[in-house]
Amino acid sequence: MTTAIIIVAVVVVAAIAAFLLLRGRTAGGRGLRGRFGPEYDRVVARHGGDTKAAEQELDGRVRRHGHLTERPLTEEARARYAARWASAQELFVESPQRSLAEADMLLADLSRERGFPEGDDFDDRTDALSVHHAAHVHGYRRVHAARGGNTSTEEMREALMDARGLFEALLADGGSQRAHGNRHLVKGNGTS
């Protein structure tokens, strides 16, 4: 009877150890997938499906940019950026290319003012933004890419609408506003 109990105990302990070992191996991937969402899938695709390489890149981003603390905006700066965004949206009807160029510059300026990397390195800035605003950084990439390429007007419009999510997240202060955005600041101009 004692031998049977010892065997069962050893099997249970071995099963728990195996479970914890396997869980530990995949927790990084699940954690990164949860943190980065669609950005995780984009990086995996860019690495040809190599999840290990993608996770190393994302881990590196977190190490480099995870410590960033977003600086708050003054009410004046918030109002200035809201007016610039509304103007960029209105400009779309007349000149989609200029509208996207303005939205691209606005997002660069706003992200710098919030404490993200300065300079002209778009990739470094979007890497940092992806650590803190992974759900919205795709829109910024779309605007940046669409402003210089052979893109249809509809694709440019969709890129501008996607980028609005990052704009709203950067304009907001605090976690709850970041999750929901300040939609009242950019609506009502007839171009949403």
Side-chain angles (χ1 to χ4, degrees):
M1 181 85 169
T2 335
T3 306
I5 293 174
I6 292 173
I7 291 173
V8 169
V10 167
V11 168
V12 168
V13 168
I16 290 171
F19 172 76
L20 292 175
L21 180 65
L22 289 175
R23 183 173 164 229
R25 253 190 225 153
T26 60
R30 279 197 305 256
L32 290 171
R33 182 184 300 272
R35 178 176 191 154
F36 284 95
E39 180 72 2
Y40 178 92
D41 296 330
R42 187 188 77 79
V43 174
V44 168
R46 203 178 78 239
H47 283 281
D50 184 350
T51 57
K52 185 175 181 175
E55 288 171 7
Q56 286 176 342
E57 178 183 329
L58 294 173
D59 275 336
R61 288 185 195 182
V62 171
R63 280 193 304 279
R64 281 190 321 276
H65 303 294
H67 68 281
L68 268 165
T69 302
E70 292 182 62
R71 293 187 297 250
L73 293 173
T74 64
E75 286 305 314
E76 296 82 26
R78 194 180 315 284
R80 186 177 68 249
Y81 283 115
R84 277 182 68 188
W85 186 264
S87 177
Q89 286 185 288
E90 290 170 4
L91 181 60
F92 188 86
V93 174
E94 182 182 312
S95 175
Q97 288 288 348
R98 284 190 12 228
S99 172
L100 291 183
E102 172 57 24
D104 188 29
M105 286 187 303
L106 184 154
L107 288 170
D109 293 345
L110 178 55
S111 65
R112 277 191 296 271
E113 190 163 338
R114 291 301 311 266
F116 289 94
E118 295 190 26
D120 294 329
D121 190 345
F122 177 78
D123 292 328
D124 190 42
R125 186 171 29 261
T126 54
D127 284 356
L129 285 164
S130 74
V131 172
H132 298 272
H133 298 285
H136 303 296
V137 75
H138 175 71
Y140 186 19
R141 282 196 182 95
R142 285 189 69 191
V143 159
H144 190 75
R147 72 183 181 93
N150 291 332
T151 309
S152 73
T153 303
E154 179 59 19
E155 290 170 323
M156 287 188 277
R157 186 190 69 77
E158 289 172 1
L160 186 62
M161 299 310 293
D162 278 353
R164 186 167 72 181
L166 179 62
F167 168 74
E168 291 173 351
L170 288 171
L171 204 63
D173 279 332
S176 64
Q177 286 179 325
R178 180 178 298 151
H180 301 293
N182 279 341
R183 299 192 187 286
H184 67 279
L185 293 173
V186 292
K187 287 196 175 178
N189 63 11
T191 60
S192 39

